């Protein structure tokens, strides 16, 4: 079956989607006729809507005379919006004053998630830059259990990351303190990506001479940095989503809120977008990893010097206002990228 849409079908599909986003109810031909923008008779509109339903873009809930968009319908609509969003056009400005002079990046990221929520009326989510994209200030080692060490990284911007890893023998507190001092004196002020590279280079160098403490310090640092990264995640406005759903969706909402509470599931989904440029939109069943099939996620990576370092997004119902959320997420990602570039250059302090 040919599923391509002619201009009239495209026009009516867009009208149904926009009405459903605004009203939250099934849309009938009479509703579209009252808009006065389509210029077609109710009978013609009904015929086109029936064709769109047969093609899978619309569905007919219960005994209602109206229709609602399917995931396929939303996907067609959103892909058209995304195509327009990446075209040659000036950047979308933030509709409110952006707090670019925040002293603490962690506060800025929290504020970004709050603004996303406030301006979209859905849930705003932001993941902080991965630790490998930060500047090393210091590291501390703590022996927690036999042959287990907790490494605590502190970056120049004040963000803290900790990781637990196995070692081949037990170390005393004084040994761990000495090794941390060695690493801090050698690598403070360097980007963590460079620290990893320098550690490997120095490990090869000290192999040839007797310096067991330095060798152990470098090995401990290498182990600490080879553990999987976990970024901080900021979520604001989760309760906004409750106002968008019927009581029948209660189980879906419980699963989504569990994902908000556990955060690692949400983090895993958001970090996927670091591998793809631009805005990504996941609709309905594409968000199964979050435990819901009735929500949509609009997400974009933010970059520093052309490299993706974190991501921002908005989570809402499948009938979210994509035409305003997509440029909002774009603008937020762009502003965060500019902030971190300035921060790295020492312009924001």
């Amino acid at each position: 079956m040919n599923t391509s849409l002619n201009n009239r079908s495209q026009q009516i599909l867009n009208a149904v989607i926009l009405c459903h986003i605004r009203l939250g109810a099934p849309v009938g031909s009479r509703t579209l006729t009252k808009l006065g923008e389509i210029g077609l008779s109710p009978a013609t509109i009904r015929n086109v809507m029936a064709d769109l339903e047969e093609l899978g873009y619309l569905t007919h809930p219960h005994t209602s005379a109206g229709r609602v968009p399917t995931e396929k319908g939303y996907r067609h609509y959103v892909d058209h919006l995304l195509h327009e969003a990446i075209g040659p056009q000036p950047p979308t400005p933030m509709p409110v004053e952006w707090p670019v002079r925040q002293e603490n990046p962690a506060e800025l990221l929290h504020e970004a998630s709050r603004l996303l929520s406030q301006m979209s009326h859905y849930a705003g989510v932001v993941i902080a830059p991965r630790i490998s994209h930060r500047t090393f200030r210091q590291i501390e080692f703590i022996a927690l259990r036999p042959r287990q060490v907790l490494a605590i990284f502190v970056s120049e911007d004040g963000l803290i990351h900790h990781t637990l890893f196995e070692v081949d023998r037990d170390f005393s507190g004084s040994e761990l303190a000495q090794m941390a001092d060695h690493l801090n004196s050698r690598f403070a002020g360097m980007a963590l990506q460079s620290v990893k590279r320098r550690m490997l280079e120095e490990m090869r160098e000290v192999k040839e001479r007797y310096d067991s403490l330095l060798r152990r310090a470098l090995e401990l640092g290498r182990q600490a940095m080879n553990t999987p990264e976990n970024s901080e995640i900021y979520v604001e406005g989760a309760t906004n989503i409750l106002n968008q759903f019927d009581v029948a969706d209660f189980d879906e909402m419980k699963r989504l809120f569990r994902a908000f509470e556990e955060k690692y599931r949400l983090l895993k989904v958001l970090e996927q977008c670091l591998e793809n440029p631009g805005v990504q939109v996941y609709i309905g069943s594409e968000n199964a990893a979050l435990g819901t099939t009735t929500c949509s996620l609009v997400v974009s990576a933010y970059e520093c010097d052309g490299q993706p370092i974190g991501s921002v997004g908005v989570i809402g119902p499948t009938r979210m206002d994509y035409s305003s959320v997509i440029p909002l997420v774009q603008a937020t990602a762009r502003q965060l990228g500019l902030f971190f570039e300035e921060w790295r250059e020492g312009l924001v302090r």
Side-chain angles (χ1 to χ4, degrees), residues 161-181:
H161 172 81
H162 54 81
T163 186
L164 185 67
F165 60 98
E166 305 282 340
V167 291
D168 59 3
R169 73 171 181 84
D170 291 331
F171 292 97
S172 67
S174 60
E175 284 180 306
L176 292 174
Q178 280 185 292
M179 288 188 280
D181 288 343

Side-chain angles (χ1 to χ4, degrees), residues 21 120-122 239-246 249 316-317 319:
I21 287 172
S120 68
H121 306 293
Y122 306 126
T239 54
N240 287 347
I241 303 178
L242 289 176
N243 301 324
Q244 308 288 338
F245 288 88
D246 298 328
D249 297 316
R319 66 176 188 87

Side-chain angles (χ1 to χ4, degrees), residues 323-336:
S323 62
S324 64
V325 171
I326 288 173
L328 172 62
V329 169
Q330 272 185 314
T332 305
R334 183 169 53 252
Q335 292 285 359
L336 282 180

